Amino acid sequence: MEFVIITGLSGSGKSQTVNILEDAGFFCIDNMPPQLIPKFAEICRENGAIDKIALVTDIRGGSLFLNLLENIDRLREDNINAKILFVSADHDEIKRRYKETRRKHPLLDIADGDIDKAIEAETDILTPIRQAADYFIDTTHMNTNNLREAVRNLFVEEISDTLLISCVSFGFMFGIPAEADLVFDVRCMPNPYHVPDLRNFTGLDKCVQDYVMSFEVSREMRTKLFDMIDFLIPQYIAEGKSQLEIAIGCTGGRHRSVTYTEQLYAHLKENGYKARLLHRDVSKSKK
């Protein structure tokens, strides 16, 4: 079980960090009191279905937060390989971020409303935890993409794991999927609907797939389509996109689009991408 505990200075980017890990497939919780962490880890281990966990715990927990290292020791005594990721930024940058967002620092009240004293107080409190951390990220000069790359380099084995690709077939007569990022039209390909023996089958059936791909133009279309998608996906990953929906449509969404979408899904899985498959209109009938 991969267990990452994210902590650090308020305003340094902990919430952004846990969001990045959530996009990469981690089960994530923000602002968990340290005393609950060992019990939660025990539940996850007994469940068995959750093997990548990231938690944020920080000074928002008040006096409860002071026992963080003690509770991490409890995890390790139970043979849970917990790692601490400490996220930080320099004093002036954190002060600038609070001024920009107009949010209240958690220690502002005990610092008599002085943001500088609040940041200094938190820095002192967190010094032992920073010294015990396994990983450290300084976000002072980072934008969102820089942070995403830093987190991925630490915790994501395959960069393709950060992007979930949805492969969707659809029929134009029922409308284009509203969330589609890329839409491809295969209505120009030979249509099994006009073959009486194939009309009642779908692109999930081998007979329809064999018919569609028996034409040279269909195979050339597949090659060009997949080449374009193979080129685009790394660009989306580099841009930091976490979800990509590729929709392939034909007239009714039952034959040609299903055939191409099935093959695209298999192609992406073979190339190590995280993908899911949806045939939106395959069970619908033309009217």
Side-chain angles (χ1 to χ4, degrees):
M1 185 167 62
E2 191 170 2
F3 205 100
V4 180
I5 297 172
I6 302 166
T7 191
L9 293 173
S10 301
S12 61
K14 299 184 299 297
S15 293
Q16 284 181 296
T17 299
V18 79
N19 289 339
I20 293 166
L21 287 175
E22 186 171 32
D23 289 341
F26 279 72
F27 183 90
C28 298
I29 297 179
D30 196 356
N31 197 16
M32 175 173 279
Q35 284 77 357
L36 297 181
I37 294 176
K39 182 62 177 178
F40 178 74
E42 180 183 341
I43 293 171
C44 291
R45 186 161 59 180
E46 291 174 354
N47 179 276
I50 303 174
D51 59 359
K52 297 168 69 176
I53 299 143
L55 308 174
V56 176
T57 184
D58 53 34
I59 202 67
R60 290 174 293 175
S63 60
L64 297 175
F65 176 69
L66 302 179
N67 295 321
L68 175 60
L69 292 178
E70 177 184 329
N71 283 280
I72 291 175
D73 288 340
R74 287 178 56 192
L75 290 177
R76 291 169 176 167
E77 289 170 3
D78 291 336
N79 295 317
I80 294 174
N81 186 24
K83 299 292 186 181
I84 304 173
L85 168 60
F86 194 95
V87 185
S88 186
D90 70 27
H91 183 111
D92 290 339
E93 176 61 15
I94 288 179
K95 182 177 179 180
R96 185 194 67 79
R97 292 176 186 177
Y98 270 102
K99 183 177 181 180
E100 186 177 86
T101 62
R102 298 185 179 181
R103 297 195 65 190
K104 181 181 178 182
H105 191 284
L107 299 184
L108 195 63
D109 289 340
I110 66 172
D112 297 324
D114 188 323
I115 184 64
D116 290 301
K117 290 182 179 179
I119 296 170
E120 290 169 1
E122 185 178 24
T123 301
D124 290 341
I125 293 171
L126 292 178
T127 296
I129 298 172
R130 177 170 178 165
Q131 293 172 345
D134 300 280
Y135 308 105
F136 179 83
I137 294 178
D138 185 338
T139 67
T140 303
H141 302 291
M142 286 186 176
N143 58 31
T144 301
N145 284 340
N146 297 149
L147 177 59
R148 185 177 290 107
E149 182 179 0
V151 173
R152 287 172 175 173
N153 288 338
L154 288 174
F155 300 107
V156 181
E157 293 182 3
E158 297 290 340
I159 199 68
S160 58
D161 290 343
T162 63
L163 178 67
L164 172 62
I165 306 171
S166 297
C167 304
V168 182
S169 69
F170 72 96
F172 277 94
M173 65 186 301
F174 301 111
I176 297 174
E179 301 301 320
D181 298 290
L182 298 173
V183 178
F184 297 100
D185 184 351
V186 295
R187 287 177 292 185
C188 54
M189 296 297 104
N191 191 354
Y193 181 81
H194 298 307
V195 180
D197 290 342
L198 297 177
R199 181 173 298 175
N200 293 324
F201 291 93
T202 74
L204 298 174
D205 298 301
K206 188 175 184 300
C207 59
V208 171
Q209 294 177 4
D210 289 347
Y211 174 83
V212 172
M213 290 302 160
S214 66
F215 299 91
E216 183 178 352
V217 67
S218 299
R219 297 191 294 273
E220 186 175 356
M221 171 77 169
R222 177 181 59 192
T223 299
K224 293 181 180 296
L225 177 62
F226 288 9
D227 282 348
M228 176 180 286
I229 291 171
D230 288 343
F231 169 76
L232 290 174
I233 288 175
Q235 317 311 316
Y236 282 115
I237 291 174
E239 190 64 24
K241 195 169 180 64
S242 60
Q243 296 184 53
L244 178 69
E245 183 168 307
I246 303 173
I248 301 177
C250 61
T251 304
R254 301 186 70 245
H255 298 104
R256 294 164 292 180
S257 63
V258 174
T259 297
Y260 277 97
T261 303
E262 283 281 323
Q263 297 200 9
L264 174 61
Y265 174 75
H267 173 76
L268 294 174
K269 297 293 283 185
E270 288 172 4
N271 283 278
Y273 291 110
K274 185 167 60 174
R276 71 183 186 97
L277 183 64
L278 173 65
H279 298 301
R280 193 192 70 177
D281 302 325
V282 71
S283 61
K284 297 178 182 178
S285 299
K286 289 185 178 180
K287 296 180 180 180

